[in-house]
Structures are given as C-alpha cells and as structure tokens.
Amino acid sequence: MSDDRSIELYIKKNLSEKRYMHSKRTAETTEKLCRLYGFNPEKGRNAGLLHDIGREISTDDVFSLVENDGYGVSRIEKEYPVLLHGRAGAVLAEKEIGITDEEILDAVRWHTTGKRGMSGITAVLYVADYIEPGRMHIDNEFRMKIREMNLDQLIMEVVRNSITYCRSKGYSVAEQTFMLYHDLEKKVS
Ligand SMILES: [Fe+2]
Ligand SMILES: [Fe+2]
C-alpha cells in the first residue's frame, strides 16, 4: 500500500473527527506552503496528515514512545507531556505505519515546539499547523501578509504568538521554542 493510503487509513481510524479534519486542513496548508517556498509538496502533505497522531494517546504511551528516541525528557516536558506529542507521533509513524522518510519524521517530531535551525518541511509544518484555515485566532490581515513574508519571518510570527499565548495562560514555554525565538531575533529584522 502507498504511504499516502496507509496514512489516510491510520488517521481516519485513530483520530477523533475534529482532529482528523484539522490534520487534513494542516496537510493542505503544508502542501501549499511547500509549493510557495520550493519544498516537496507530497512529503509536506504526508507530514501534515501525520503530525498529530501522537496527540490522542495516553500520557503513559507518550512517555514510553519517546523513551528511546534519543532526545531526553526535560523538566518542562515532564510537567507538560503534551509538548512531547510530536516526538511520540514520529515514533508511532515509523513503528505503526512504516514511514522511514527522515524529512517527514523530523517535521512530525518538531511541529509542537519548533526546533533551532529548522528548515524545509519541518519549518513549513510548524507554521501550517498554526495558520490552517480552521484556526480562528488568525485574522484576515495576517493571512493577507503571509504571501509577502519569507519563511523565517513567518516562523517568527508563529513563535512570538505561541510564547505570548503560553504566558497569558500561565503555561511554561519549551526550551526549544525559546532557543528558536532567540535565534530568529538575530536573523529577522
Ligand atoms: Fe500537534
Ligand atoms: Fe495540529
């Protein structure tokens, strides 16, 4: 069976209707942005379809899936296991669906927190998850600006908004997200 078909069947069976629809919209947005920025649109779509497969599993399963993925678990991730759902999803995608493409796995792995130096599909998925058309917090003015922004500027907008949101809710921000923010501050004027 092709990867596309296996992924579609897997998410249809394992995700709630709401998250399935979000995954489909994220896949479409990732595919579009990949075309805009010159990355592989099929891989982008598959990464978008897969990105939240670790989001609806138990916390115990999340911890056991990331146990041996090589990235360790920080104090903040212990406190907020939801931050690990990208990494858990990447392990699941490989184990359960047989996805071996490292670009797709990397995008799924880091879509929640972002990662320093991220590029290609990983960067595009991080943005697409935040701006897909079902996200009501994104206003039209911002959507209009997207086409004029380069990818780093777009990531910066998403990181800045995510940090502001976490702070407003009293949540801790993952270290990876802060490091990404500080890197981009130097890069994006
Ligand atoms: Fe997610
Ligand atoms: Fe998502």
Side-chain angles (χ1 to χ4, degrees):
M1 204 187 303
S2 71
D3 278 355
D4 305 36
R5 185 86 189 109
S6 315
I7 294 168
E8 177 69 34
L9 286 175
Y10 187 88
I11 64 168
K12 185 86 188 145
K13 181 164 174 251
N14 291 285
L15 295 182
S16 62
E17 179 65 15
K18 193 175 159 213
R19 191 151 277 112
Y20 171 75
M21 295 311 292
H22 159 65
S23 303
K24 298 279 274 186
R25 290 190 303 264
T26 303
E28 273 174 37
T29 305
T30 308
E31 189 177 342
K32 270 190 208 158
L33 289 177
C34 278
R35 287 189 205 284
L36 183 67
Y37 294 117
F39 307 121
N40 185 312
E42 285 78 30
K43 283 191 190 188
R45 188 181 65 243
N46 284 343
L49 289 173
L50 283 166
H51 82 285
D52 269 342
I53 60 171
R55 186 68 178 82
E56 295 181 353
I57 59 177
S58 72
T59 303
D60 284 351
D61 284 347
V62 167
F63 283 126
S64 90
L65 284 165
V66 303
E67 206 171 16
N68 297 310
D69 74 354
Y71 300 101
V73 174
S74 69
R75 182 187 55 76
I76 293 174
E77 286 163 340
K78 263 190 201 129
E79 196 181 337
Y80 299 97
V82 70
L83 292 171
L84 294 166
H85 78 265
R87 282 171 50 190
V91 178
L92 268 181
E94 193 168 5
K95 270 194 183 164
E96 300 292 319
I97 320 177
I99 305 297
T100 52
D101 186 305
E102 192 44 44
E103 280 186 84
I104 295 177
L105 294 177
D106 193 74
V108 172
R109 189 177 294 129
W110 302 115
H111 84 271
T112 319
T113 56
K115 181 185 66 158
R116 285 181 101 164
M118 66 180 181
S119 60
I121 296 169
T122 304
V124 169
L125 175 60
Y126 178 75
V127 170
D129 185 26
Y130 191 81
I131 65 167
E132 59 92 350
R135 301 292 204 191
M136 296 309 174
H137 58 271
I138 305 291
D139 60 23
N140 279 339
E141 197 191 337
F142 183 74
R143 288 192 190 284
M144 298 291 285
K145 278 198 309 194
I146 291 173
R147 287 198 160 258
E148 290 149 32
M149 291 162 97
N150 67 37
L151 190 50
D152 279 335
Q153 289 170 323
L154 203 42
I155 299 168
M156 184 56 160
E157 281 293 320
V158 176
V159 175
R160 195 186 281 130
N161 289 342
S162 302
I163 292 175
T164 306
Y165 173 80
C166 284
R167 286 195 170 137
S168 75
K169 295 277 179 188
Y171 302 152
S172 298
V173 177
E175 291 95 339
Q176 297 94 317
T177 311
F178 265 128
M179 289 192 281
L180 177 61
Y181 179 76
H182 290 306
D183 285 353
L184 286 169
E185 239 184 351
K186 290 176 213 146
K187 226 169 147 186
V188 178
S189 53

